[in-house]
């Protein structure tokens, strides 16, 4: 930090170099093949260049008059990507939001306002006899949905948890009975939230069946596809989202599997008019009294954000220059490598694979001989060992992995986001985990 307090300090090239070096050294090395811990990746270089231009141009993109090209680019990308969703042209809508959590909140607002049209103005649960507003979710739903329930005034007590099958997908057959029981308790489930790529294990809920179930009960189906919606651009992987065209809304994070700078989330609505119901304000300083051809491109009335980065530009530039294949081939490679990593894991007698990966997320445990995890004390020891291993691997810095609790016991979790990560890198990771685990057990060093 400069010690100058009375005048603007002179530019110090060495100081700037130190700041940049510190920034690079202390962050997650997302371009390293050893970075397997989170659902963000290194960006395609062209996207970084466009993001730099975006920062310098500094156009807030909620209104066409301030950011003309970004608002047009949103419409172009909406049409390009809807070709893989499958909604009729002309009726659907898309708006960008700063992250999947905000997209989920916005979609739930639209769903709530459709089911309870007086809630926005008057608050409360609605007319007598209408039931308390409730949301139905899978057990592994992203935590942002629970947060949204609190923000919306619905409350976590009104979240209906739908049972999962052995693959950690929502089970539609068992969900029917749970929804019926919720109705008997005086709850009106206005929205069912399905996941296309859960954060924990990357599971894809059966969208086709859940859409039918939701619509039979008069509920909105929102799909949290923050991670997995990008598989739609791959002909080989698109069937994992079978039934997506029946959904009412879809959250899609381009900053995850489309390899652009964060945040860049696309919120799609099957019926654009329903999406317009999320917010209901007027403000003379931004909303025009006489809409025209250009204000029709504004998104300020559809999002919580007034000042919003033109985040679409990096995605549109990549798509415009390279086309779909850039994304499809990279996504397919990541999923293929994750499947190969799963096979490597099955060959290791002291490791336990917890699921067969559906995309590029793989969870497992280091389970040395003698540690069965069957009794309460053994399970606690197994849990502590996974946490200690993860902390040791993170501290040593060659690899970066994450952890997740599955059925109450910690598991190690990798997310392959870098196309340069190979099965040999994964074997190297397993050797480091094994070494760390043996040392922790032998010396009892734990997290030290």
């Amino acid at each position: 930090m400069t010690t100058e307090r009375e005048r603007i300090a002179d530019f110090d090239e060495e100081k700037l170099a130190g700041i940049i070096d510190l920034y690079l050294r202390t962050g997650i090395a997302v371009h390293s093949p050893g970075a397997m811990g989170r659902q963000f990746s290194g960006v395609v270089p062209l996207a970084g260049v466009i993001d730099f231009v975006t920062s310098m141009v500094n156009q807030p993109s909620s209104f066409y008059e301030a950011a003309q090209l970004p608002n047009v680019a949103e419409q172009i990308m909406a049409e390009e990507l809807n070709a893989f969703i499958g909604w009729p042209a002309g009726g659907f809508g898309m708006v960008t939001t700063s992250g999947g959590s905000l997209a989920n909140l916005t979609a739930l607002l639209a769903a709530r306002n459709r089911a309870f049209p007086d809630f926005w103005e008057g608050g409360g649960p609605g007319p007598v006899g209408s039931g308390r507003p409730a949301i139905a979710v899978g057990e592994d739903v992203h935590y942002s949905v629970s947060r949204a329930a609190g923000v919306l005034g619905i409350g976590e007590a009104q979240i209906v948890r739908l049972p999962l099958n052995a693959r950690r997908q929502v089970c539609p057959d068992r969900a029917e009975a749970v929804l019926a029981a919720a109705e008997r308790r005086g709850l009106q489930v206005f929205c069912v939230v399905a996941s296309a790529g859960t954060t924990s294990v990357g599971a894809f809920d059966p969208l086709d069946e859940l859409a039918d179930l939701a619509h039979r009960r008069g509920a909105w189906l929102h799909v949290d596809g923050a991670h997995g919606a990008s598989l739609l651009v791959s002909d080989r992987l698109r069937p994992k989202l079978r039934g997506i065209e029946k959904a009412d809304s879809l959250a899609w994070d381009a900053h995850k599997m489309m390899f652009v700078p964060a945040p860049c989330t696309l919120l799609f609505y099957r019926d654009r008019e329903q999406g317009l119901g999320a917010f209901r304000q007027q403000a003379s300083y931004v909303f025009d009294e006489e809409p025209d051809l250009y204000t029709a491109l504004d998104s300020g009335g559809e999002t919580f954000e007034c000042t919003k980065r033109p985040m679409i530009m990096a995605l549109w530039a990549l798509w415009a220059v390279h086309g779909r294949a850039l994304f499809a081939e990279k996504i397919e490679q990541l999923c293929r490598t994750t499947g190969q990593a799963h096979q490597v894991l099955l060959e290791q007698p002291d490791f336990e694979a917890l699921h067969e990966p559906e995309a590029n997320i793989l969870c497992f445990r280091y389970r040395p001989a003698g540690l069965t995890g069957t009794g309460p004390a053994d399970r606690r020891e197994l849990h502590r060992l996974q946490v200690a291993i993860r902390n040791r691997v993170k501290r040593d810095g060659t690899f970066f992995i994450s952890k997740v609790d599955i059925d109450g016991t910690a598991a190690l979790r990798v997310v392959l986001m870098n196309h340069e990560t190979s099965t040999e890198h994964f074997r190297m990771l397993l050797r480091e985990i094994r070494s760390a685990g043996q040392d922790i057990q032998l010396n009892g060093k734990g997290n030290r």
Side-chain angles (χ1 to χ4, degrees):
M1 301 292 291
T2 181
T3 57
E4 179 61 62
R5 292 292 180 265
E6 302 303 323
R7 64 181 183 86
I8 299 174
D10 294 333
F11 174 70
D12 186 333
E13 184 176 345
E14 185 176 336
K15 185 172 292 183
L16 175 60
I19 290 171
I20 294 173
D21 179 65
L22 185 64
Y23 198 177
L24 295 176
R25 286 191 295 108
T26 55
I28 296 168
V30 292
H31 286 91
S32 166
M36 309 180 194
R38 297 293 181 190
Q39 291 163 272
F40 43 78
S41 70
V43 302
V44 178
L46 175 58
V49 172
I50 298 298
D51 198 57
F52 172 76
V53 175
T54 290
S55 296
M56 296 305 298
V57 173
N58 201 25
Q59 298 177 352
S61 66
S62 291
F63 298 93
Y64 174 83
E65 68 177 15
Q68 297 179 17
L69 181 57
N71 278 275
V72 174
E74 282 201 13
Q75 299 302 310
I76 294 171
M77 286 310 301
E79 293 168 6
E80 290 286 324
L81 296 177
N82 181 60
F84 308 109
I85 300 172
W87 288 324
F92 77 95
M94 189 276 280
V95 63
T96 56
T97 70
S98 296
S101 296
L102 187 55
N104 286 338
L105 172 63
T106 305
L108 289 170
L109 263 172
R112 187 205 65 183
N113 291 343
R114 185 188 72 165
F116 298 90
D118 297 328
F119 203 114
W120 182 274
E121 186 80 18
V128 175
S130 63
R132 300 192 305 279
I135 302 167
V137 304
E139 288 286 350
D140 282 354
V141 72
H142 191 264
Y143 72 88
S144 64
V145 176
S146 296
R147 284 186 170 181
V151 172
L152 294 174
I154 293 167
E156 289 196 25
Q158 269 66 259
I159 296 178
V160 179
R161 301 282 176 175
L162 302 177
L164 307 181
N165 60 22
R167 298 176 65 186
R168 304 198 72 83
Q169 305 162 318
V170 171
C171 181
D173 293 338
R174 295 165 60 198
E176 182 86 62
V178 173
L179 291 174
E183 186 175 13
R184 290 193 294 271
R185 289 190 288 118
L187 299 181
Q188 181 179 335
V189 173
F190 66 86
C191 185
V192 175
V193 179
S195 297
T198 56
T199 301
S200 55
V201 301
F204 286 73
D205 290 332
L207 305 182
D208 207 358
E209 293 88 339
L210 289 176
D212 291 341
L213 173 61
H215 295 157
R216 278 199 307 272
R217 305 189 71 85
W220 178 296
L221 178 70
H222 172 63
V223 177
D224 180 1
H227 186 76
S230 296
L231 272 62
L232 286 168
V233 305
S234 162
D235 293 339
R236 184 172 70 83
L237 298 171
R238 192 177 308 122
K240 291 186 179 293
L241 289 99
R242 181 178 61 88
I244 187 64
E245 72 282 355
K246 295 182 179 180
D248 295 287
S249 54
L250 166 67
W252 182 340
D253 278 359
H255 57 261
K256 288 189 169 71
M257 296 278 275
M258 302 291 272
F259 318 109
V260 298
C264 180
T265 297
L266 317 176
L267 173 58
F268 283 87
Y269 295 101
R270 179 160 53 93
D271 182 349
R272 183 174 186 270
E273 294 302 315
Q274 296 289 348
L276 293 173
F279 301 100
R280 300 176 185 174
Q281 274 90 40
Q282 289 298 320
S284 61
Y285 43 86
V286 288
F287 297 117
D288 284 290
E289 294 181 24
E290 299 179 3
D292 57 24
L293 174 67
Y294 304 107
T295 58
L297 295 169
D298 292 348
S299 62
E302 301 168 59
T303 68
F304 189 76
E305 302 163 277
C306 180
T307 302
K308 181 177 69 173
R309 289 195 94 225
M311 57 195 83
I312 197 68
M313 290 301 296
L315 178 61
W316 173 67
L318 284 185
W319 195 275
V321 172
H322 295 297
R324 174 181 73 111
L326 169 71
F327 306 95
E329 290 181 13
K330 185 167 180 173
I331 293 167
E332 288 172 5
Q333 180 179 337
L334 295 175
C335 294
R336 184 166 54 249
T337 304
T338 308
Q340 294 166 353
H342 178 251
Q343 291 302 312
V344 169
L345 198 62
L346 295 177
E347 298 166 2
Q348 314 300 315
D350 51 350
F351 282 88
E352 174 191 19
L354 297 178
H355 64 110
E356 183 175 350
E358 291 197 61
N360 63 328
I361 298 176
L362 177 60
C363 299
F364 57 96
R365 294 190 183 104
Y366 173 63
R367 189 193 287 271
L371 192 56
T372 63
T374 52
D378 215 31
R379 281 196 299 273
R380 287 193 296 270
E381 178 58 27
L382 184 64
H383 177 94
R384 284 194 294 266
L385 180 60
Q386 310 312 305
V387 173
I389 288 172
R390 190 264 175 168
N391 291 341
R392 175 77 66 85
V393 170
K394 182 175 68 170
R395 184 200 69 191
D396 290 349
T398 304
F399 293 94
F400 178 74
I401 61 174
S402 52
K403 76 97 181 170
V404 62
D405 290 351
I406 297 179
D407 296 328
T409 303
L412 305 174
R413 173 178 173 272
V414 298
V415 187
L416 301 193
M417 298 291 286
N418 188 333
H419 64 273
E420 293 186 349
T421 302
S422 66
T423 52
E424 183 53 35
H425 291 114
F426 186 71
R427 291 181 188 274
M428 292 168 59
L429 170 64
L430 295 186
R431 288 195 290 269
E432 181 159 327
I433 289 172
R434 181 181 290 117
S435 176
Q438 290 172 348
D439 185 55
I440 290 166
Q441 285 197 300
L442 180 64
N443 298 312
K445 292 181 178 179
N447 295 340
R448 279 182 271 164

